[in-house]
Amino acid sequence: MKNKIKLLKRQIIYDMKIILSFQHKRHLIFIIINVFLFMLFHRKVNGYTAILEDDGIGFWDYLIYIFCGKNKMNNLTQLDIFDMPVEWLLIHSYILLAVGTYPKVEYGERGYQFLLRAGNKWCWWISKGFYIITDVMLYYFSIMLVALVSSILNGTSINNINKDILYYVFGIDGSKLTMNDIVRSTVIMPLLIIIALCITLMFISFVVNIMISVIILLAYLSVSAYWCSKWLLGNYTMVLRTDEVPFVAGVLIACGITVIFFLWGYLYFNQMDMIGKQREEMI
Amino acid sequence: MYIEIDSLTKIIGGQKVLQDINLQLKKGVIYGIKGKNGSGKTMLLRSICGLIKPTEGTVKIDGKLLGKDLTFPHSVGVLIENPGFIVNLSGYDNLKMLADIKGEIGKTEIEEVMEQVGLNRNDFRKKYKTYSLGMKQKLGIAAAVMEHPDLILLDEPTNALDEESVNRVIALLKKEKERGALIIIASHDLEELNYLSDTILVMEEGRIKSQHEEESD
């Protein structure tokens, strides 16, 4: 047992090295995307000159901008246009693609070398779970970092939430939104939901393939923006739908999905043949 | 190490890639598997190291049933298809990352094996993506043998290697054989196998068509 834990530790260290030495470019691109989005946000807010004269844009305003989402849709008529919350979808999709696809890519390229050295499959699979949780957190912290730096450059207080931005830019009544609500839908739920979606993507990518798993998850996210349901996890990461979906249910569903797909994925992976990339492509 | 393969059959995508294979393989011997592309050589190697599970039949390593008593053989070095290294890391760093999983060998042993397969010291720290095909192949062989495993499986190991490098690899494998390793080499090149192997197995359409021992040199 002691030996197996040692192997697991080494496998985890290997995956962490991959993040630092191999995936850092993806993190840099993600930071640039966030800077770009926040510049767009500034431009949007600049349209409301009165707002900036008061408090300016603060840390939480940036997070709300990313995770604002979209109001619950009622039945669309043929005259209505469905517009996707672009920033929200972009951030989710980027992290999903960057993190959730890694285990299958790694498995296809170097997997057998590590599995044979580790001598078992559970060690590799658990390590990939750790990888997903760590990398999602790193991506999330880079959003926070860019928001924090922007807020400091603006000279705004970190705790301050600009009620005028909430009202005029996002259409949210600030008096009804508590700090708890904001933390839930911009910090806790995005972390839990993105981890759950990445684990799901990892599972589907092994059962089918990477391309199909990405398409399924992106379609699922898009549907989340359209329909408001507690089973569509994207709803929990939208500040505008805080009142529409119960927080506790969101936590339970996200954790449940993470655990179920992680275990189910392991069972599938354990009996799966490693027939090699060339043969997989032939089939 | 002793490997016993009994009535091994593997079906993938409705196609029989291995059919009723029966073999006994013992340590200190180099086995060569000859066959055309698609004859089942690589699949046999994958079965022996536990990467694929038999549809029928069994593979036993030292009496332990692979897939039941063991997930993978305890001590195995493998080169199958592309070595799959990280392109942005140096050759040395790639081997170091692999070696760190088991933690059995360090810098000296890694550099030693890199030299033995014919990589120059100047190449150790060069990024893998700058390596030529031959250098990549040498690094793959180095990865398979660096921990001196009891079982070494090599698929077309001399692909893209020049004559001098082939000789180095042969010398390295003979040394591993003398140490007591069981080595299996799959290749479509009979001349190369004749030179390297103690026993040659010829595969065709997933079956062992013939098995004969070579005269020792």
Side-chain angles (χ1 to χ4, degrees), chain A residues 7 10 14 17-18 109-110 112-117 119 270-271 273-276 278-279 283, chain B residues 10 12 15 17 43 46 49 51-53 72 78 80-81 84 86 97-98 100-103 143 147:
Chain A
L7 279 172
R10 285 176 184 156
Y14 162 78
K17 277 185 191 166
I18 289 279
E109 287 176 357
R110 290 169 288 276
Y112 76 85
Q113 292 284 4
F114 287 89
L115 284 165
L116 292 174
R117 279 177 173 79
N270 196 31
Q271 54 79 43
D273 284 330
M274 295 185 77
I275 56 173
Q278 288 170 10
R279 176 70 67 162
I283 291 174
Chain B
K10 181 69 187 175
I12 296 174
Q15 191 194 344
V17 293
M43 283 300 150
R46 285 182 179 274
C49 62
L51 293 175
I52 60 172
K53 290 179 178 169
F72 302 113
V78 176
I80 298 178
E81 284 181 2
I86 299 169
M97 275 183 114
L98 281 174
D100 283 348
I101 297 277
K102 279 189 153 182
E147 284 145 330

Side-chain angles (χ1 to χ4, degrees), chain A residues 67-72 170-172 238-242 244:
Chain A
F67 296 105
C68 175
K70 187 171 178 57
N71 270 315
K72 182 184 172 184
F170 304 127
I172 300 168
M238 293 188 190
V239 180
L240 281 166
R241 295 189 188 174
T242 309
E244 305 292 340

Side-chain angles (χ1 to χ4, degrees), chain B:
Chain B
M1 170 159 290
Y2 182 73
I3 300 175
E4 202 177 346
I5 302 172
D6 184 26
S7 311
L8 173 68
T9 296
K10 181 69 187 175
I11 301 172
I12 296 174
Q15 191 194 344
K16 273 191 180 175
V17 293
L18 294 174
Q19 295 189 58
D20 196 30
I21 307 269
N22 292 287
L23 284 172
Q24 279 87 42
L25 311 168
K26 54 181 193 287
K27 72 174 198 176
V29 177
I30 301 181
Y31 294 90
I33 306 175
K34 196 233 166 214
K36 290 178 191 163
N37 288 341
S39 60
K41 305 185 298 284
T42 309
M43 283 300 150
L44 181 58
L45 294 186
R46 285 182 179 274
S47 298
I48 292 171
C49 62
L51 293 175
I52 60 172
K53 290 179 178 169
T55 308
E56 284 167 30
T58 55
V59 177
K60 284 183 186 168
I61 310 274
D62 290 331
K64 289 181 180 169
L65 197 59
L66 203 59
K68 198 178 174 192
D69 306 326
L70 285 173
T71 310
F72 302 113
H74 281 311
S75 174
V76 59
V78 176
L79 170 68
I80 298 178
E81 284 181 2
N82 298 319
F85 291 112
I86 299 169
V87 292
N88 287 321
L89 291 182
S90 69
Y92 172 81
D93 287 338
N94 266 295
L95 294 191
K96 181 77 173 65
M97 275 183 114
L98 281 174
D100 283 348
I101 297 277
K102 279 189 153 182
E104 288 174 354
I105 57 166
K107 189 182 173 215
T108 319
E109 291 90 343
I110 294 171
E111 288 186 344
E112 196 180 313
V113 78
M114 287 178 89
E115 274 181 353
Q116 282 173 346
V117 293
L119 287 165
N120 297 322
R121 281 204 159 259
N122 296 337
D123 301 327
F124 290 4
R125 309 286 164 179
K126 279 185 188 164
K127 284 193 175 178
Y128 179 73
K129 65 181 170 192
T130 65
Y131 275 26
S132 66
L133 266 179
M135 287 160 78
K136 287 176 181 173
Q137 190 70 1
K138 288 175 193 172
L139 197 69
I141 295 167
V145 301
M146 67 180 175
E147 284 145 330
H148 305 296
D150 296 337
L151 174 62
I152 299 171
L153 306 174
L154 304 170
D155 190 11
E156 310 280 0
T158 53
N159 264 3
L161 295 188
D162 55 43
E163 204 182 325
E164 193 202 326
S165 305
V166 172
N167 289 334
R168 275 176 176 272
V169 171
I170 290 171
L172 179 62
L173 293 178
K174 292 215 160 153
K175 217 166 124 189
E176 290 297 310
K177 173 194 151 182
E178 280 160 22
R179 187 182 51 81
L182 192 170
I183 304 170
I184 307 174
I185 299 163
S187 176
H188 59 269
D189 184 348
L190 188 59
E191 198 184 328
E192 173 191 306
L193 285 178
N194 283 342
Y195 191 62
L196 253 174
S197 318
D198 302 308
T199 298
I200 293 187
L201 312 163
V202 180
M203 286 194 76
E204 209 175 278
E205 294 174 351
R207 292 178 190 273
I208 302 283
K209 201 185 160 200
S210 66
Q211 177 174 349
H212 59 271
E213 284 183 18
E214 286 298 302
E215 285 174 23
S216 54
D217 49 7

